[in-house]
Amino acid sequence: MDSPGSTPSTPSTPSVPSRAVADSGARRVFRSEYADVPVLDEPIHEAVLARSTASFPDAVALVDGADPTGTTTLTYGQLDVRHRLLASELVRSGLRKGDVLALHSPNTVLYPVIFYGATRAGAAVTTVHPLCTAEEFAKQLNDAGARWIVTVSPLLATARRAAELVGGIEEIFVCDRADGHRSIVHDLLSAAPPRTAGADIAIDPAEDIAVLPYSSGTTGVPKGVMLTHRSIATNLAQLHPLVPMVPGDRILAVLPFFHIYGMTALLNAPLRAGATVVVLPRFDLDQFLGAIEKHRITGLYVAPPIVLALAKHPAVARYDLTSLEYVVSAAAPLDSLLAQACSDRLGLPPVRQAYGMTELSPGTHVVPLATVDPPAGAVGKLLPSTEMRILRLDDPARDAGPGEEGEIAIRGPQVMKGYLGRPEATAELIDADGWVHTGDVGRVDEDGWLFVVDRVKELIKYKGFQVAPADLEALLLTHPGVADAAVIGVLDADGNEVPKAFVVRGPDAPGLGADEVMAYVAERVAPYKKVRRVAFVAAVPRAASGKILRRELRQREKDDA
């Protein structure tokens, strides 16, 4: 296992090359050119914090990047003591192993204290979008079976309403202060030193769920993704040889911790390495650029809209960004020309890409930091201990060869345990041999680089957040003036994928307009899910089975462009 401060691993001489190797019959299995890593059978709080705490107790682990004084920090020693104390107090409050705790907060320096404190207490943490509506929150609480909520006072009204809607919530804690609620900081963390009961909960890393994020998978409504302590801890070990972090690195956490990308790249990975994480609650361009300059950030993990801002926004020229050593982009496709424009402007090596999905803990591919000149558009090389197949689109029972396009299938120790309470959906995604059918179309070149060329799945990725068309379609159909509706993703002027609705007016609503449709949706969903364009059509194209033919709508968009 890699220790904090270790040097980047070098590719081993593989027993099988990264190019396709005939497995059996029509199978061609791609295997990593990097040496396998051992499965990490440790609770996530131990896998991340144990070595950093022991080696660098006085080093700064977390900095509040929104604090203009720069004095709100936590050292590794403080993080260790506080998360252990919180675990003890949660157990004293009645939390039991296997309970689900909903963490409903923007990024703060307290977020990891709560996350690791809850997992140490034996809970599974379901991370909640801070901008969700009460109704959306209630659905997640109900599906996850959550009994506890941690939120912040500005979001308390939403959390209270969600708790009322679902029932069965034992307690709502607030991070700061609010009348009628115990405070994480002022009550639980002001208690006596940790008690044994909160620090010695037995964890089975292979079976126990550490985190329960919600994902729509390849299509459909959000589902709870059961990620075990083993799967997410092992994925950190898999990522390290390609994107190593070391003590002294300074990572800017602007993407949300509740999302598996932010949780992995901006929380677990840097804290495992003894790096310093500078935390921002949201993306504001000047605050973001100012934090890079002030805190001498060395590494950025971002989504394509931030790459766009770095490449083109005039504000970039006002800040000293020379501390940056690399940029990694993931969560959505990145145009190769935009990536080049960003790296050229910042005077950095090519922007690296990474690939994965929540159900894969999340990483399967990344462009190694050590690669001098990766091919444009590549999303990376296979991580250690990971296998891949490219399934032919015309005959999924057969595999495509190098250079041929097909659906990406993945197998490895980072695969989720399954969807919570949805064995049928799990079986649709993961076949009997353990292969995850990602729904993405890709190809692999002769050197083992993966290129993602299209999506079979129908999810819209707005600024890295997943938006399920089926959710929006179901909501649109509740409007009395809408007879039918379909939703696809289209690109706006800034290159972001946004939801566009194709709406059939009802016979009693001839005057229904686009603004009314968009307002109706906006009042009922989180901001990132809003319908941002509307077209009225005579009919929604459907197959004989009733399935919406989104490809026809996408083709219509191309024809009208």
Side-chain angles (χ1 to χ4, degrees):
M1 190 175 79
D2 301 304
S3 61
S6 62
T7 55
S9 301
T10 55
S12 65
T13 302
S15 58
V16 287
S18 61
R19 294 182 288 277
V21 176
D23 190 340
S24 61
R27 287 192 176 183
R28 294 184 178 91
V29 178
F30 295 85
R31 297 191 173 94
S32 178
E33 65 190 57
Y34 290 82
D36 286 350
V37 299
V39 168
L40 206 57
D41 267 325
E42 296 181 26
I44 189 60
H45 41 275
E46 291 293 330
V48 171
L49 297 179
R51 290 159 184 79
S52 297
T53 298
S55 301
F56 321 108
D58 298 324
V60 175
L62 297 146
V63 178
D64 183 352
D67 177 3
T69 70
T71 59
T72 305
T73 65
L74 281 179
T75 66
Y76 276 97
Q78 290 170 330
L79 175 57
D80 185 58
V81 168
R82 293 186 186 190
H83 96 275
R84 288 176 184 273
L85 175 55
L86 181 59
S88 176
E89 291 304 305
L90 288 173
V91 171
R92 280 172 51 84
S93 299
L95 185 144
R96 296 292 178 261
K97 180 180 176 181
D99 281 359
V100 177
L101 180 145
L103 181 45
H104 176 231
S105 170
N107 290 3
T108 70
V109 295
L110 198 60
Y111 200 106
V113 175
I114 299 163
F115 180 78
Y116 301 124
T119 62
R120 182 173 286 278
V125 178
T126 188
T127 51
V128 183
H129 197 306
L131 297 182
C132 70
T133 65
E135 291 74 16
E136 291 168 329
F137 194 176
K139 286 181 181 178
Q140 184 168 336
L141 290 172
N142 183 64
D143 191 77
R147 298 178 59 228
W148 310 85
I149 297 173
V150 177
T151 189
V152 293
S153 57
L155 304 178
L156 181 56
T158 299
R160 281 174 169 167
R161 176 58 181 154
E164 291 171 359
L165 289 171
V166 73
I169 300 300
E170 296 286 342
E171 186 167 358
I172 301 175
F173 302 101
V174 293
C175 293
D176 37 5
R177 290 187 188 272
D179 290 343
H181 295 270
R182 285 198 290 167
S183 165
I184 295 291
V185 171
H186 302 289
D187 294 313
L188 277 69
L189 291 180
S190 64
R195 296 164 176 81
T196 302
D200 291 338
I201 302 298
I203 302 293
D204 181 348
E207 293 297 327
D208 292 344
I209 307 306
V211 62
L212 190 65
Y214 271 69
S215 167
S216 298
T218 56
T219 187
V221 299
K223 298 172 282 291
V225 178
M226 296 188 291
L227 299 180
T228 64
H229 290 262
R230 172 194 280 182
S231 68
I232 57 175
T234 301
N235 198 228
L236 295 174
Q238 292 174 295
L239 286 161
H240 183 80
L242 284 77
V243 280
M245 294 186 191
V246 297
D249 284 352
R250 302 180 70 83
I251 306 299
L252 186 57
V254 67
L255 299 179
F257 291 149
F258 81 83
H259 189 283
I260 191 65
Y261 176 23
M263 183 186 298
T264 298
L266 304 178
L267 194 68
N268 289 336
L271 294 180
R272 177 176 182 260
T276 296
V277 180
V278 178
V279 181
L280 292 178
R282 67 188 62 83
F283 178 71
D284 172 86
L285 182 59
D286 281 299
Q287 184 183 58
F288 169 77
L289 296 170
I292 296 173
E293 178 180 88
K294 178 178 180 178
H295 297 283
R296 307 306 293 160
I297 299 299
T298 58
L300 288 180
Y301 292 80
V302 296
I306 297 179
V307 177
L308 175 65
L310 290 170
K312 297 186 177 181
H313 201 284
V316 173
R318 300 199 299 267
Y319 294 87
D320 177 4
L321 308 184
T322 55
S323 62
L324 288 176
E325 297 173 3
Y326 64 89
V327 177
V328 176
S329 177
L334 177 67
D335 178 76
S336 59
L337 293 178
L338 174 59
Q340 186 64 49
C342 177
S343 60
D344 288 348
R345 187 180 194 190
L346 299 179
L348 292 175
V351 174
R352 269 57 179 154
Q353 291 200 63
Y355 174 75
M357 59 192 297
T358 306
E359 290 81 354
L360 293 165
S361 299
T364 69
H365 291 74
V366 67
V367 176
L369 296 184
T371 301
V372 175
D373 190 21
V379 300
K381 291 283 188 82
L382 268 171
L383 299 187
S385 307
T386 306
E387 299 175 297
M388 177 178 62
R389 293 165 58 203
I390 304 295
L391 311 178
R392 289 177 51 162
L393 297 177
D394 59 346
D395 183 5
R398 298 181 60 82
D399 290 3
E404 298 177 346
E405 294 182 2
E407 183 184 5
I408 301 164
I410 298 291
R411 187 167 65 181
Q414 67 268 55
V415 173
M416 69 171 180
K417 187 174 182 178
Y419 289 124
L420 179 67
R422 289 178 168 84
E424 296 85 0
T426 301
E428 288 177 7
L429 186 78
I430 308 173
D431 67 26
D433 294 323
W435 292 99
V436 174
H437 295 244
T438 67
D440 287 322
V441 178
R443 60 179 174 82
V444 181
D445 71 11
E446 291 291 338
D447 294 317
W449 293 101
L450 175 65
F451 299 80
V452 177
V453 297
D454 201 354
R455 290 210 306 272
V456 173
K457 57 191 176 187
E458 298 166 344
L459 283 178
I460 300 164
K461 290 200 173 181
Y462 175 67
K463 295 187 176 181
F465 299 125
Q466 294 182 343
V467 181
D471 276 354
L472 294 177
E473 289 155 358
L475 177 58
L476 286 164
L477 292 175
T478 66
H479 189 291
V482 174
D484 200 1
V487 176
I488 64 170
V490 299
L491 297 181
D492 66 12
D494 293 329
N496 298 313
E497 190 177 25
V498 300
K500 178 174 181 177
F502 293 82
V503 174
V504 179
R505 294 186 180 97
D508 298 325
L512 179 65
D515 289 345
E516 181 180 346
V517 171
M518 289 188 286
Y520 182 83
V521 174
E523 291 171 2
R524 292 164 173 82
V525 300
Y528 71 96
K529 293 183 181 178
K530 292 193 296 187
V531 168
R532 296 170 191 272
R533 295 184 183 177
V534 175
F536 291 97
V537 294
V540 170
R542 293 180 180 272
S545 63
K547 182 178 180 180
I548 296 171
L549 299 176
R550 297 183 214 279
R551 65 179 182 274
E552 293 190 12
L553 296 173
R554 285 190 282 267
Q555 186 60 51
R556 183 181 305 182
E557 282 293 294
K558 290 181 181 179
D559 293 343
D560 292 342

